[in-house]
Amino acid sequence: MASIIKNGEIVADPWCLLAAGAEAFATVTVIKPQLLLPLVRWGQERESLEKAGYTVGVWLAPDDAPEALISRLPQIPVIAIQFPSFTDGRGYSLARLLRQRYGFAGELRAFGDVLRDQIYFLHQCGFNAFCLRPDQDIAAAVAALEDYSWPPMADMMGSVAQ
Amino acid sequence: MYIYNEVDQRLVDDRVTQFRGQMQRFLEGRLSEDDFRPLRLQNGLYVQRQSPMLRVAIPYGTLSSPQLRQLAHIARTWDRGYGHFTTRSNIQFNWVRLHDVPDILASLATAQMHAIQTSGNCIRNITCDQFAGVAADEVFDPRPYCEIVRQWSTLAPEFLFLPRKFKIAISGGEEDRAAVRFHDIGARACISEDGRRGFAIYVGGGLGRTPLLGQLLKEFLPREELLNYFDAILRVYNRHGRRDNKYKARLKILVKDLTLAGFARDVEAEWAHAQGGPNTLSDKNFAAMEAFFAGPSYDGKVADEADYLAALQNNRVFARWMERNVAEHRQPGYGIVTLSLKKTGMPPGDATASQLDLAADLAERFGLGEIRVSHEQNLVLPHVHRSDLLTLWAIAASNGLATPNIGLLTDVVCCPGGDFCSLANAKSIPVAKAIQERFDQLDYLFDLGPLELNISGCVNACGHRQSDRPLVCRGADPRGDRETARRLRRHSP
């Protein structure tokens, strides 16, 4: 089982991420009972999958609108946000919206081109779980959460408000 | 001037530590060039034609004399003994070595300086009016607001990977000396009808290959909403700006695509959520910040002005310098001195380490220890008493810092061009030099009168060439537009 960083610790990842546009779930062989669905499929298949005993989370591409999730937010265990490239910063704004505006309290995960050098800033925007690019040193990435002395989610204005 | 508190200092110190590790991994081959590039750019480090270049931030163009000496020290220790001031009031060191850069950044941090976000697709150094706080026509001093925006934008985690670079300028005068409409966000100080302080906000300005003037997004933004509103603009841009084509990725293109009204609607909707929220600034925040920029005490200077007055009459060179290089100060008896970095033979904007040290000395002896960098690439001493002008001029003149050409043709605004920059397709410095040599005769130069010349070595606009200037010169690709590689265009007045 692949490892991720969650709440500052290295843990096994129980989630199976399904691609967008893949064939319907019935034809896919999945071992894990916890599924992350792309936004469109989450809308279409969530109910039947939950009835079949699966736990269902959702993942967003950078140009997805999070508003579709709002009505069910308290019931969603995991929202994962895709980083096709680490230089695509849209996921940072999605995270801020979900945490600050909509009050999402579950696991907020970054996946894709996620590198240790961005992990501190991702954390500051509200991500608490990181599925790193496979070549990354996961222990070093945990340490990178402490790159700066000021605490994550601290006052955004720094010393202005001191 | 603003003084770092513990939070500011730890931030720049931690940044140095982080970058030292990243540089080490890169040099050991554990961090790829692609993964390293955005990291080094956000630390001001470019790889140029001949050598890496380090661009150091000079927030809103303000320096203390110890900071200027620190820059001189860096030029001497790690470069070839000089630095180049840019049109965004930063300084570049053109001959640094990669493995020295963490040490240079550590050295900057000891003087409360850094190179954070001087490049990369993030919020760049904030620029301002070089006469802020001393100009006679000031609505209010923009520097406290510049510092607030600097703190908000430094490592603002949501906005480190924008579609493209993002430039903010804030000006406080009746006359806009910060060229705010050539920036992604331009803010001009204004007072509402009921006497509140705020800003007129322009968006989508920029030079480069698609020059556009910023458009008025909000006529009056109350100052307490400054960060909430900027957050809203940046979030709309970060989410919706184009990322498929770097030439179409600036805010100006998004504003054009959505139309100003459409963009304004999105920003208003975003702002509605933040308005009055936790990042709303209080009068206490403003008062604390304004205290850093309180003007010096000008009282009680009783000075003998006889020599100064006599020299104005009898010393033609001094009188010319007074005419061009000393601007009106809001305090009677004081002047604002511009030290010209446009002496013929020196690349425009370049200063040697000795000149930097000397400017620091002059600032301490005559100018209350403060220096400004203008976007025209000169140094400014904002508070000099009239009775000191003659002595200051004599020292500056014997060190190549008193060319009386501010606002004249030879006060060329010029990018580093093909001698250094890998983007350039033409050299700019030799053109500037040839023009300065041709017009070196002062009588002729004064007869020509005020005339601004901007030179860029490529279609980008580091030389601010499209900025409503009468004379511009830029590198062009002869295959692209069938013109010679250097084009001189005269705008109709």
Side-chain angles (χ1 to χ4, degrees):
Chain A
M1 202 173 271
S3 293
I4 61 162
I5 299 171
K6 188 176 172 186
N7 296 329
E9 290 178 353
I10 300 170
V11 297
D13 180 13
W15 290 89
C16 174
L17 188 137
L18 300 190
E23 56 270 55
F25 176 65
T27 67
V28 180
T29 315
V30 176
I31 304 151
K32 296 178 186 177
Q34 292 173 250
L35 303 175
L36 285 172
L37 301 185
L39 183 59
V40 173
R41 295 184 65 179
W42 179 82
Q44 294 164 344
E45 301 172 42
R46 174 186 50 79
E47 239 170 301
S48 58
L49 286 170
E50 282 176 348
K51 275 186 193 141
Y54 289 96
T55 307
V56 180
V58 60
W59 67 265
L60 303 178
D63 56 350
D64 281 337
E67 282 70 22
L69 303 174
I70 303 316
S71 61
R72 291 198 55 82
L73 219 46
Q75 286 82 46
I76 301 176
V78 174
I79 299 175
I81 294 176
Q82 183 194 31
F83 285 82
S85 155
F86 76 90
T87 58
D88 184 335
R90 289 176 287 183
Y92 292 78
S93 283
L94 289 179
R96 271 266 157 96
L97 282 173
L98 285 165
R99 287 288 196 222
Q100 289 187 338
R101 179 166 309 163
Y102 302 122
F104 177 63
E107 177 185 322
L108 187 57
R109 171 188 296 205
F111 75 99
D113 200 31
V114 178
L115 317 183
R116 66 178 266 189
D117 295 296
Q118 282 77 49
I119 204 168
Y120 179 86
F121 303 106
L122 290 165
H123 190 191
Q124 273 214 313
C125 285
F127 288 100
N128 67 328
F130 309 91
C131 180
L132 301 172
R133 195 172 73 187
D135 69 340
Q136 297 290 294
D137 176 342
I138 194 165
V142 172
L145 286 168
E146 319 253 317
D147 272 353
Y148 292 85
S149 318
W150 81 86
M153 301 298 284
D155 195 306
M156 284 154 63
M157 277 154 46
S159 56
V160 177
Q162 302 286 305
Chain B
M1 287 187 59
Y2 183 71
I3 309 288
Y4 277 12
N5 63 21
E6 199 192 336
V7 175
D8 300 303
Q9 189 65 51
R10 286 182 78 168
L11 188 150
V12 296
D13 290 344
D14 288 347
R15 180 65 158 192
V16 173
T17 306
Q18 185 192 39
F19 188 63
R20 198 182 285 284
Q22 291 165 342
M23 177 64 85
Q24 190 181 347
R25 277 188 282 140
F26 173 71
L27 292 174
E28 290 170 359
R30 292 188 288 130
L31 185 60
S32 74
E33 171 56 33
D34 284 347
D35 290 347
F36 184 53
R37 189 180 307 109
L39 307 179
R40 68 167 163 77
L41 289 175
Q42 294 208 3
N43 284 286
L45 182 57
Y46 283 74
V47 173
Q48 301 240 72
R49 279 172 197 250
Q50 339 215 13
S51 147
M53 176 271 277
L54 182 68
R55 183 184 292 154
V56 173
I58 302 178
Y60 39 96
T62 298
L63 287 166
S64 66
S65 50
Q67 288 175 325
L68 193 54
R69 286 208 185 85
Q70 194 71 21
L71 294 174
H73 169 70
I74 287 165
R76 249 184 224 113
T77 312
W78 289 288
D79 200 282
R80 296 188 178 174
Y82 68 96
H84 171 78
F85 289 98
T86 75
T87 52
R88 298 201 73 255
S89 75
N90 291 317
I91 187 168
Q92 296 182 176
F93 295 106
N94 281 320
W95 301 99
V96 299
R97 287 173 300 184
L98 274 188
H99 61 268
D100 286 335
V101 172
D103 289 340
I104 302 175
L105 297 177
S107 165
L108 283 169
T110 65
Q112 308 196 342
M113 297 181 81
H114 61 73
I116 298 170
Q117 289 167 224
T118 55
S119 179
N121 295 335
C122 51
I123 303 171
R124 301 289 188 88
N125 185 28
I126 314 299
T127 54
C128 182
D129 170 357
Q130 70 266 28
F131 293 171
V134 290
D137 71 343
E138 199 154 79
V139 181
F140 56 82
D141 188 345
R143 292 172 300 165
Y145 305 90
C146 290
E147 177 56 30
I148 287 169
V149 173
R150 183 194 75 80
Q151 293 187 16
W152 160 80
S153 62
T154 302
L155 304 190
E158 187 179 343
F159 305 127
L160 290 175
F161 295 99
L162 298 171
R164 198 76 178 85
K165 60 188 169 185
F166 199 94
K167 299 174 179 177
I168 299 176
I170 304 177
S171 87
E174 295 281 357
E175 181 193 340
D176 173 19
R177 281 173 294 263
V180 301
R181 293 187 70 191
F182 291 116
H183 291 75
D184 294 281
I185 295 180
R188 290 195 67 169
C190 57
I191 306 279
S192 69
E193 281 173 14
D194 55 351
R196 291 177 304 148
R197 288 183 173 192
F199 296 91
I201 306 293
Y202 296 85
V203 287
L207 301 169
R209 68 183 66 217
T210 315
L212 282 172
L213 267 183
Q215 302 181 72
L216 186 62
L217 183 66
K218 194 153 203 66
E219 212 162 326
F220 182 79
L221 177 73
R223 63 175 186 167
E224 59 273 16
E225 287 295 325
L226 193 63
L227 298 185
N228 290 331
Y229 196 72
F230 280 13
D231 250 330
I233 293 173
L234 264 299
R235 184 172 285 170
V236 170
Y237 173 57
N238 191 37
R239 292 189 64 197
H240 304 298
R242 280 181 66 172
R243 289 174 184 267
D244 59 326
N245 177 347
K246 74 178 230 185
Y247 301 117
K248 302 281 181 200
R250 290 288 292 273
L251 178 65
K252 58 192 170 189
I253 304 294
L254 180 65
V255 173
K256 208 170 148 204
D257 288 350
L258 296 177
T259 73
L260 181 66
F263 181 73
R265 225 173 9 249
D266 286 0
V267 170
E268 289 290 320
E270 191 60 49
W271 182 39
H273 292 282
Q275 216 169 336
N279 274 335
T280 307
L281 296 157
S282 68
D283 286 349
K284 208 175 125 206
N285 294 144
F286 293 120
M289 199 53 87
E290 280 159 3
F292 285 107
F293 298 95
S297 159
Y298 296 109
D299 303 336
K301 174 118 183 170
V302 183
D304 179 5
E305 297 185 356
D307 289 350
Y308 160 74
L309 294 170
L312 270 186
Q313 295 298 318
N314 311 324
N315 184 335
R316 193 142 171 261
V317 192
F318 174 68
R320 277 190 157 148
W321 180 77
M322 283 296 301
E323 184 187 333
R324 296 311 322 173
N325 296 36
V326 181
E328 197 186 348
H329 196 288
R330 70 161 67 141
Q331 178 73 20
Y334 282 78
I336 307 169
V337 170
T338 300
L339 299 172
S340 171
L341 299 180
K342 309 297 175 63
K343 184 177 156 64
T344 300
M346 277 290 272
D350 275 18
T352 65
S354 317
Q355 286 178 321
L356 297 175
D357 276 337
L358 184 90
D361 292 346
L362 292 175
E364 276 173 8
R365 191 165 158 201
F366 304 113
L368 305 166
E370 196 178 327
I371 303 98
R372 309 278 176 83
V373 183
S374 73
H375 71 84
E376 294 91 356
Q377 307 172 281
N378 293 306
L379 295 179
V380 172
L381 305 180
H383 327 270
V384 181
H385 195 269
R386 267 197 332 212
S387 60
D388 291 326
L389 287 169
L390 184 61
T391 318
L392 187 159
W393 166 77
I395 301 171
S398 59
N399 289 279
L401 291 172
T403 313
N405 62 349
I406 301 307
L408 300 180
L409 177 64
T410 57
D411 184 12
V412 185
V413 172
C414 183
C415 74
D419 289 296
F420 297 98
C421 179
S422 10
L423 300 175
N425 49 21
K427 290 188 178 186
S428 50
I429 293 169
V431 180
K433 183 166 176 275
I435 291 172
Q436 285 176 326
E437 280 167 357
R438 171 70 181 74
F439 293 92
D440 204 32
Q441 221 271 335
L442 272 183
D443 285 327
Y444 188 34
L445 199 59
F446 271 69
D447 285 347
L448 279 175
L451 189 58
E452 294 170 47
L453 171 64
N454 295 59
I455 303 178
S456 273
C458 77
V459 69
N460 298 309
C462 299
H464 289 186
R465 59 177 165 80
Q466 301 101 333
S467 51
D468 65 350
R469 303 298 196 219
L471 280 173
V472 297
C473 181
R474 73 152 166 96
D477 182 348
R479 289 161 305 179
D481 55 16
R482 287 200 218 150
E483 290 187 45
T484 54
R486 294 180 192 126
R487 185 165 76 163
L488 187 64
R489 184 172 75 223
R490 183 167 179 95
H491 288 191
S492 47

